[in-house]
């Protein structure tokens, strides 16, 4: 059996962020769903300074940093759209 959140592209692209996506998807009330998806989006923003520290310490190169940064930007936008879709739910 597959859980619905496993089908979400944003879940498949994310790092630690999928934990909040999965938990939010398991909630019945849209307010709770939305809150967990906002938390997941906040986790994306937490990853940005982590990538910056890794770059400054020469643990990743400029190309890797740019790739991770773009990836995080995409995930943040996808999560914003996920929140908006929850707000459109009737319950």
């Amino acid at each position: 059996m597959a859980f619905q959140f496993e089908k979400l592209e944003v879940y498949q692209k994310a790092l630690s962020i999928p934990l909040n996506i999965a938990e939010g998807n398991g909630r019945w009330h849209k307010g709770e769903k939305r809150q967990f998806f906002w938390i997941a989006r906040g986790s994306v923003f937490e990853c940005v300074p982590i990538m910056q520290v890794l770059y400054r310490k020469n643990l990743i190169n400029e190309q890797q940093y740019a790739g991770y940064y773009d990836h995080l930007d995409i995930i943040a936008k996808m999560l914003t759209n996920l929140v908006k879709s929850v707000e459109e739910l009737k319950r």
Side-chain angles (χ1 to χ4, degrees):
M1 175 179 117
F3 291 98
Q4 289 211 3
F5 63 84
E6 293 176 298
K7 298 174 187 172
L8 295 171
E9 184 181 1
V10 67
Y11 172 84
Q12 296 168 11
K13 287 183 176 282
L15 305 169
S16 64
I17 298 142
L19 299 173
N20 286 306
I21 295 171
E23 188 166 358
N25 194 263
R27 300 297 174 133
W28 285 99
H29 301 285
K30 79 177 190 177
E32 290 180 317
K33 283 182 185 291
R34 186 177 55 237
Q35 180 63 24
F36 277 96
F37 297 156
W38 277 124
I39 292 169
R41 189 173 180 273
S43 295
V44 171
F45 285 75
E46 290 175 340
C47 290
V48 172
I50 292 170
M51 293 300 117
Q52 291 170 343
V53 168
L54 293 172
Y55 177 66
R56 281 195 305 262
K57 292 190 175 274
N58 294 317
L59 297 171
I60 59 173
N61 64 38
E62 188 173 349
Q63 184 179 9
Q64 290 170 311
Y65 174 78
Y68 292 137
Y69 192 92
D70 290 344
H71 189 74
L72 290 169
D73 185 52
I74 290 167
I75 292 171
K77 289 174 183 173
M78 293 173 83
L79 284 166
T80 298
N81 289 331
L82 186 59
V83 169
K84 288 178 182 177
S85 74
V86 169
E87 291 174 351
E88 295 170 0
L89 294 175
K90 292 188 178 189
R91 66 170 181 161

